[in-house]
Amino acid sequence: MRKPLISGNWKMNHNHFDAITLVQKLSYVIDRHDVEAVEVSVHPPFTDLRSVQTVLEADKIPLALGAQNCHWEEKGAFTGEVSPAMLAKLNVRYVIVGHSERRELFGETDEDVNRKVKAVLKFAMTPIMCCGETLAEREAGATEAKVLRQVNAGLAGLDAAVVATMVVAYEPIWAIGTGRTASVEDAQAVCGLIRRTIADTFGPAAADGVRIQYGGSVKADNAKELMGQPDIDGALVGGASLEAESFAAIVGYRLMD
Ligand code: 13P
């Protein structure tokens, strides 16, 4: 059984003071039973990571610490970059890799994403590797080709046993921050396609183990239906993860009407 993973991607929001307040609030409003059934990660900006780590560990808050990106090299002359070794040292467990904002706004290529996935794994953290199509690609019927290209390139060269431990996030770009969610059928169709592709390339055990998240305007009122799909094992949440109440409501999706 795959344990669902619900991740809050804070993007470039909340300074380290706000971050401390938010994780403390989350520790009060997230139900203890929810974190037994569902794994939860928070992904603050780099400048908040040390503060959030300290609070999570001191108060034994059962949230996994996540990052939003990293470089693929361990160290060196890469001004402005953050190394996976530095993240591992902060007990970061999950690293988002290849988010569409990194790809579209900062020119990350499939090859960059593949290097980053390998670097995250090398330092014993788990990549959340993102993929997804633009509206133009969807309207042109190119969704499958785009997603398959990103998944195959991002996972290239990995062992099947490692793929089984990973997380892939399907985030249709047109659904991000727009309030427009993919229909449950469309989301399931693409997540199912991702799992079948992983089965073809890496075998059934990898496909069975890999967790596939859906992201794109996930809210408390659509989380339960999305999470009920056979190939959706979690959610990558942007806007609704910035407030404790809205994120806790998604984490508690099992109890929603
Ligand atoms: P929204 O939930 O704000 O649409 O963002 C989704 C996302 O990009 C998470 O990585």
Side-chain angles (χ1 to χ4, degrees), residues 14 35 38 51 58 67 90 92 107 120 134 144-145 155 161 187 190 197 202 229 233 241 243 248-249:
H14 293 328
V35 286
V38 179
S51 309
L90 292 168
V92 164
V120 168
T134 63
E144 296 195 0
L155 301 180
V190 179
T197 303
F202 297 97
Q229 302 306 305
D233 309 311
S241 73
E243 303 277 346

Side-chain angles (χ1 to χ4, degrees), residues 66-83:
Q68 300 174 16
N69 180 32
C70 70
H71 192 63
W72 54 81
E73 291 290 344
E74 181 175 350
K75 61 181 176 176
F78 301 101
T79 301
E81 292 292 326
V82 171
S83 129

Side-chain angles (χ1 to χ4, degrees), residues 22-251:
L22 178 52
V23 289
Q24 283 173 333
K25 275 193 195 157
L26 285 171
S27 76
Y28 296 123
V29 295
I30 290 181
D31 194 284
R32 190 172 49 84
H33 296 105
D34 289 335
V35 286
E36 283 162 13
V38 179
E39 204 181 344
V40 183
S41 65
V42 289
H43 300 250
F46 287 132
T47 52
D48 304 357
L49 283 174
R50 175 64 178 152
S51 309
V52 173
Q53 179 212 7
T54 306
V55 176
L56 294 182
E57 291 178 6
D59 296 351
K60 297 193 170 43
I61 299 172
L63 302 175
L65 185 58
Q68 300 174 16
N69 180 32
C70 70
H71 192 63
W72 54 81
E73 291 290 344
E74 181 175 350
K75 61 181 176 176
F78 301 101
T79 301
E81 292 292 326
V82 171
S83 129
M86 295 168 181
L87 298 180
K89 200 77 182 162
L90 292 168
N91 293 342
V92 164
R93 202 175 311 158
Y94 292 100
V95 185
I96 298 170
V97 176
H99 190 281
S100 60
E101 287 149 18
R102 303 278 341 147
R103 295 178 189 258
E104 301 274 310
L105 305 175
F106 301 101
E108 270 187 24
T109 65
D110 288 337
E111 291 68 35
D112 295 338
V113 172
N114 182 242
R115 285 191 197 105
K116 291 183 181 199
V117 164
K118 289 176 175 161
V120 168
L121 290 163
K122 182 176 168 197
F123 289 94
M125 300 177 290
T126 300
I128 298 178
M129 190 188 80
C130 302
C131 59
E133 80 286 4
T134 63
L135 187 57
E137 287 163 339
R138 172 156 287 262
E139 286 173 347
T143 299
E144 296 195 0
K146 168 85 174 290
V147 169
L148 293 188
R149 190 202 79 214
Q150 290 180 324
V151 170
N152 287 324
L155 301 180
L158 298 182
D159 288 342
V162 168
V163 174
T165 68
M166 278 190 54
V167 182
V168 175
Y170 168 56
E171 297 203 304
I173 295 171
W174 47 272
I176 294 178
T178 56
R180 211 180 140 185
T181 329
S183 71
V184 176
E185 294 74 24
D186 285 346
Q188 161 57 29
V190 179
C191 292
L193 176 76
I194 293 170
R195 198 178 307 281
R196 285 197 300 281
T197 303
I198 291 176
D200 289 346
T201 313
F202 297 97
D208 197 43
V210 68
R211 287 181 290 178
I212 303 177
Q213 294 177 318
Y214 169 80
S217 298
V218 175
K219 303 277 182 300
D221 58 9
N222 57 27
K224 187 174 184 181
E225 210 184 356
L226 286 161
M227 298 289 292
Q229 302 306 305
D231 289 303
I232 299 181
D233 309 311
L236 185 52
V237 185
S241 73
L242 296 175
E243 303 277 346
E245 289 73 16
S246 49
F247 191 51
I250 293 171
V251 170

